[in-house]
Amino acid sequence: MLLYIGTSGFSYTAWKGSFYPSDLPPGEMLRYYAGQFNSVEINNTFHRMPRDSVLAGWREEVPDAFRFVLKAPQRITHVNRLRDVSDAVSYFFDVAGVMGSRLGAVLFQLPPSLKKDVPLLHDFLALVPPGRRVALQFRHRSWLDDEVFALLHRNDAALCLVDVEGEPEIPPVATATWGYLRLRRPDYQVEELGKWAELVRGRGWSEAFVFFKHEDEAKGPLFARRFADLVSAG
């Protein structure tokens, strides 16, 4: 299994002196980060899509084996709520395609108020270009059933497993040949990370993406390193 581990975002000045060297220029953060981890989840694409030139620049700063995950724009998930988004989805994947092989996956995070609608999800998944991998983060309990999981499985779309306070617990169902985890609690003990590492090893995935939350104290990179060690040790 190929394991891609990192954090949600990388450009945090608060990490200087803990994760980043104190004197590291902001423009060198991604290159330094990519020397420590092999993947990053980009969340600012939820608010606005970067220019092609920005994505191309990121692509050139990281090794060939590095993978980016882009969080889909809120226009698709929260404003239009997956309806009438053909043009928006097409444009998004066209721009994201600038990253080439370094684009690992796209995360679609649905709003908590959006309830289960299988025909809507079916039509939406049909818009995803062939060969592109998508993960779905459901935030309303009604989505968490076998009918939805089967639809994801038919499209090799990953059910995003999320560990966060105040949201529904996601059953550890493998709906795709690959996996996606967002471990977003502010603190993790080694035993807790070990349980997640065991889950990842036991899913039978060909690849898995695991991202930890950004914290000013730079705990995310620390947890990511510990998690990588635990998976390797298993």
Side-chain angles (χ1 to χ4, degrees):
M1 177 181 64
L2 293 175
L3 188 60
Y4 295 100
I5 301 176
T7 58
S8 295
F10 66 88
S11 183
Y12 302 122
T13 56
W15 287 6
K16 286 190 173 185
S18 51
F19 175 67
Y20 292 120
S22 300
D23 58 350
L24 187 73
E28 294 295 321
M29 284 185 173
L30 178 57
R31 194 180 303 275
Y32 182 92
Y33 175 97
Q36 308 296 314
F37 299 109
N38 63 355
S39 190
V40 67
E41 182 186 75
I42 300 296
N43 286 293
N44 61 18
T45 48
F46 176 74
H47 301 286
R48 59 188 180 278
M49 171 55 68
R51 299 185 303 274
D52 293 22
S53 58
V54 172
L55 296 185
W58 288 350
R59 179 193 66 208
E60 297 306 314
E61 288 188 49
V62 300
D64 291 346
F66 191 91
R67 295 293 181 267
F68 291 90
V69 171
L70 303 182
K71 188 175 179 180
Q74 61 181 337
R75 174 186 170 190
I76 296 172
T77 56
H78 287 59
V79 178
N80 286 57
R81 298 164 68 87
L82 303 187
R83 297 185 184 279
D84 302 319
V85 293
S86 178
D87 290 345
V89 170
S90 178
Y91 175 77
F92 173 75
F93 277 103
D94 282 347
V95 175
V98 170
M99 307 198 98
S101 62
R102 292 174 182 81
L103 177 63
V106 172
L107 171 66
F108 289 89
Q109 182 193 64
L110 304 189
S113 60
L114 184 58
K115 298 180 181 180
K116 175 185 172 182
D117 187 331
V118 170
L120 176 68
L121 181 61
H122 175 275
D123 292 346
F124 167 73
L125 290 172
L127 301 176
V128 177
R132 292 301 184 192
R133 291 185 299 190
V134 298
L136 277 294
Q137 181 180 345
F138 300 113
R139 302 172 72 193
H140 192 281
R141 296 182 186 277
S142 61
W143 291 98
L144 306 177
D145 68 13
D146 290 341
E147 184 180 21
V148 173
F149 299 156
L151 177 57
L152 295 179
H153 179 74
R154 290 196 295 272
N155 289 271
D156 198 34
L159 172 68
C160 178
L161 306 184
V162 188
D163 184 33
V164 62
E165 296 177 357
E167 296 206 4
E169 182 177 350
I170 309 297
V173 178
T175 64
T177 56
W178 58 285
Y180 197 99
L181 281 73
R182 305 185 84 211
L183 304 183
R184 303 189 61 77
R185 293 185 182 272
D187 199 13
Y188 283 97
Q189 301 301 315
V190 173
E191 294 78 10
E192 294 171 313
L193 291 177
K195 291 179 180 178
W196 284 107
E198 184 178 352
L199 183 148
V200 169
R201 288 195 302 267
R203 294 297 95 180
W205 288 321
S206 60
E207 298 182 7
F209 295 85
V210 182
F211 298 109
F212 290 86
K213 185 181 180 182
H214 155 60
E215 297 286 349
D216 285 348
E217 298 84 359
K219 291 182 179 179
L222 175 62
F223 297 147
R225 285 170 173 159
R226 287 179 179 172
F227 186 85
D229 290 342
L230 288 167
V231 173
S232 298

